[in-house]
Amino acid sequence: MTRIHAQHAARGRGFTLLELLVVMVIIGLLAGFVAPRYFAQVGKSQVKTARAQIDALDKALEQYRIDVGHLPTSEQGLAALNTAPQGEQNWSGPYLKKEVPLDPWGNPYLYVEPGTHSNDFDLTSYGKDGRQGGTGEAADLGNW
């Protein structure tokens, strides 16, 4: 094979700039359609996770109440589920297998006793934005 013939053969095996640009545009369009749907599902799953965690914490607090005879105070907080508060004779915990989780957005759950939403206690996550109020993924979630 001559040198010129080898150069022509090597050029025939590559992609042109136009072909590469077309492929990149197609990939970009596909990502534009798929990414929003994917990230919407991630947001929904975080909300579902927060609701499940609130439910689990609610049940642990109720078990605490059954054993001790009252709920932990706001000052004792959710830590009372893993560590016996001083002076609690009937504490039979820990009431959680692991430490008290953070909400899916990395913020601590808020525990208030007595509650203000017609419950004996309020357990709240402020959602994605970490602030009170909001809508969608930023909406407050609670046990009420």
Side-chain angles (χ1 to χ4, degrees):
M1 190 182 269
T2 66
R3 182 175 165 205
I4 295 173
H5 194 279
Q7 287 175 345
H8 287 293
R11 282 188 206 144
R13 286 183 275 178
F15 295 104
T16 66
L17 180 60
L18 182 60
E19 290 169 330
L20 291 174
L21 288 174
V22 168
V23 169
M24 289 174 53
V25 166
I26 291 171
I27 290 172
L29 288 172
L30 289 173
F33 287 120
V34 173
R37 290 186 181 156
Y38 171 75
F39 288 115
Q41 293 302 319
V42 169
K44 286 179 187 176
S45 65
Q46 287 175 320
V47 170
K48 287 179 182 178
T49 299
R51 289 189 192 284
Q53 287 177 334
I54 288 170
D55 186 53
L57 291 170
D58 188 279
K59 287 180 172 128
L61 286 162
E62 290 299 337
Q63 186 62 49
Y64 178 100
R65 181 189 345 220
I66 290 168
D67 290 348
V68 177
H70 58 84
L71 290 164
T73 65
S74 294
E75 291 77 27
Q76 292 169 332
L78 296 174
L81 296 174
N82 286 329
T83 306
Q86 199 166 16
E88 293 296 349
Q89 301 301 323
N90 295 327
W91 190 87
S92 299
Y95 297 94
L96 298 171
K97 291 182 180 179
K98 298 179 181 178
E99 291 296 313
V100 176
L102 296 175
D103 72 12
W105 302 279
N107 302 311
Y109 287 99
L110 301 166
Y111 170 75
V112 178
E113 188 275 332
T116 58
H117 290 92
S118 73
N119 287 325
D120 294 333
F121 63 94
D122 289 345
L123 196 53
T124 308
S125 167
Y126 284 149
K128 185 176 183 174
D129 64 356
R131 294 182 299 201
Q132 192 171 7
T135 59
E137 292 175 37
D140 298 347
L141 303 168
N143 64 328
W144 57 88

